[in-house]
Amino acid sequence: MITEQNEKARKQIEFVCTDDLVPQDHLLRIIDKAIDWSFIYDLVRDKYSPDQGRPSIDPVTLIKIPLIQYLYGIKSMRQTIKEIEVNVAFRWFLGLELYDKVPHFSTFGKNYSRRFEGTDLFEQIFQHILEECYRFKLVDPTEIFVDATHVKARANNKKMQRRIAQQEALFYEEMLRKEISSDRAAHGKKPLKNKDDDDQSSGSSGGHDKFEDYTDDVPLDGKTIKCSTTDPESGWFRKGEHKHVFAYGIETACDKNGWILGFDVNPGNEHDSRTFKGLYDKLQDIGMEKCVVDAGYKTPAIAKLLLDDGVKPVFPYKRPQTKEGFFKKYEYVYDEYNDCYI
């Protein structure tokens, strides 16, 4: 028997409870049950006036909106707000009633630029949730997996300026200098002279300098890099045949269950082996026993850094990349008597 749709149901007035409209196994319901969001109020209390101005939007709601965006892969904040307007589960998660007005899509951006920019609010939220995972033994920090990915920056590729590439000091430079000095002293040689302070470069080739510090007076014989004028902190990224863009390199460390234990953001033109130390410093005290990385991190400096801290490095096999006309590493033999390679 055919059933015809009754349009009267669209205008039917009913008494409903929003909580009854969200399935018990819904992802947002599970997340909301696992996390006590009240800790956010203590983190942002100093960003609001206690007795002046209009009543603000709930800070927890502001934090939950971008969480919905990333959980469901919504591309823009404007589209996220449109989805919240018609999605009952989203409204329930944000604490909005069916007839409550959803905040404008620019609200989060304005609050971020006026209240939260320059703070580590989101990292504090991440650390708090991570500590809860530790407390309930959901995380196994003994084996850590580290990798990096590149994310395109919102910068116009045509709006750029060249500047002189400044040599970046490697994180193991001081350690290497001490070992060389001790070895020279053991052989009765004078220690190496330190470079002058004027010759040491404190800048980074990743574009951390402000745009006002750039100059068009670049020598023809000098090494230069491309820097964005709209997003100076990004780096010019190119890999293989991919399109050249300004991007950021995001390094993440996970356990074997996929829990993210730490992250670090760097300009896209900095190599993974150079930025590893910044991420590793955040993970030193979590009880790491093994560190699994890809071939981009397979350097003697990283291996020594891990071994000195009692961490077992796990590297993939990497074919020797010897230049044509030079001897390969396996062609050398160690002469123990003369303490040299031949």
Side-chain angles (χ1 to χ4, degrees):
M1 182 175 65
I2 189 171
T3 302
E4 296 184 4
Q5 184 178 5
N6 187 1
E7 295 186 0
K8 294 182 180 180
R10 296 180 177 179
K11 299 181 180 181
Q12 183 69 31
I13 298 177
E14 298 182 6
F15 289 97
V16 296
C17 177
T18 309
D19 189 72
D20 296 336
L21 301 178
V22 181
Q24 294 297 321
D25 59 348
H26 196 280
L27 175 61
L28 294 180
R29 184 183 285 275
I30 297 173
I31 293 176
D32 194 70
K33 182 179 179 180
I35 301 175
D36 181 8
W37 302 94
S38 60
F39 73 94
I40 294 179
Y41 296 115
D42 296 330
L43 297 179
V44 302
R45 197 173 303 278
D46 60 335
K47 305 299 180 184
Y48 292 84
S49 174
D51 53 5
Q52 296 181 0
R54 295 181 300 173
S56 68
I57 298 176
D58 189 343
V60 174
T61 301
L62 287 177
I63 300 302
K64 286 183 176 181
I65 289 177
L67 180 61
I68 291 175
Q69 178 183 355
Y70 291 113
L71 280 175
Y72 292 92
I74 306 175
K75 294 184 177 180
S76 66
M77 183 59 68
R78 186 191 296 261
Q79 184 62 33
T80 303
I81 298 302
K82 290 182 179 180
E83 295 292 336
I84 294 174
E85 290 176 349
V86 298
N87 193 307
V88 177
F90 291 174
R91 284 180 170 271
W92 175 89
F93 184 64
L94 297 176
L96 300 176
E97 298 180 1
L98 293 178
Y99 290 99
D100 285 346
K101 186 177 180 180
V102 181
H104 193 263
F105 66 86
S106 64
T107 302
F108 177 79
K110 292 296 183 181
N111 275 270
Y112 177 79
S113 60
R114 295 173 181 175
R115 299 182 192 272
F116 308 139
E117 188 176 13
T119 67
D120 59 345
L121 171 64
F122 295 97
E123 188 166 356
Q124 290 184 59
I125 295 174
F126 171 79
Q127 291 296 335
H128 178 87
I129 297 175
L130 183 60
E131 289 173 2
E132 291 294 302
C133 295
Y134 277 114
R135 189 163 66 91
F136 289 99
K137 301 186 183 302
L138 299 175
V139 176
D140 181 10
T142 57
E143 296 182 4
I144 304 300
F145 299 81
V146 178
D147 199 4
T149 186
H150 287 86
V151 178
K152 183 180 180 298
R154 292 190 175 183
N156 192 332
N157 295 337
K158 297 181 180 179
K159 293 184 178 181
M160 66 175 69
Q161 185 172 5
R162 289 187 174 273
R163 71 173 176 86
I164 301 174
Q166 298 177 338
Q167 185 178 2
E168 183 181 17
L170 302 176
F171 70 86
Y172 56 87
E173 184 177 2
E174 184 64 26
M175 178 178 61
L176 185 61
R177 185 184 294 111
K178 290 181 180 180
E179 291 191 3
I180 293 176
S181 299
S182 61
D183 182 74
R184 291 177 65 88
H187 289 80
K189 299 180 180 180
K190 295 181 179 180
L192 293 176
K193 294 182 179 180
N194 294 329
K195 295 181 180 179
D196 296 333
D197 294 337
D198 295 336
D199 295 335
Q200 292 182 352
S201 173
S202 59
S204 170
S205 60
H208 287 293
D209 297 337
K210 295 182 179 179
F211 171 64
E212 290 78 9
D213 298 334
Y214 299 166
T215 176
D216 292 328
D217 300 331
V218 178
L220 297 177
D221 57 346
K223 183 179 179 181
T224 62
I225 59 175
K226 297 178 181 178
C227 297
S228 172
T229 58
T230 54
D231 190 356
E233 294 184 349
S234 62
W236 187 249
F237 172 68
R238 51 186 177 183
K239 183 177 181 181
E241 298 179 355
H242 295 282
K243 183 180 179 181
H244 298 180
V245 295
F246 286 106
Y248 287 94
I250 302 178
E251 283 184 307
T252 55
C254 305
D255 71 344
K256 61 182 180 182
N257 298 318
W259 289 94
I260 297 179
L261 307 183
F263 67 93
D264 197 21
V265 181
N266 301 281
N269 59 344
E270 292 189 0
H271 195 268
D272 298 344
S273 61
R274 289 177 174 263
T275 58
F276 175 78
K277 184 65 165 55
L279 176 63
Y280 179 71
D281 289 342
K282 300 178 181 180
L283 305 172
Q284 281 185 301
D285 301 327
I286 64 174
M288 187 191 324
E289 297 179 1
K290 294 182 181 179
C291 185
V292 184
V293 296
D294 63 9
Y297 298 92
K298 191 176 182 180
T299 63
I302 292 179
K304 187 178 188 308
L305 176 67
L306 295 174
L307 291 173
D308 288 347
D309 291 341
V311 179
K312 183 178 180 180
V314 181
F315 299 115
Y317 172 75
K318 189 176 181 180
R319 290 183 297 177
Q321 298 178 341
T322 307
K323 294 182 180 180
E324 186 177 356
F326 290 82
F327 291 106
K328 296 180 173 58
K329 290 184 178 180
Y330 60 81
E331 295 178 328
Y332 289 89
V333 179
Y334 178 66
D335 185 354
E336 186 176 358
Y337 180 79
N338 295 313
D339 190 21
C340 65
Y341 285 91
I342 56 176

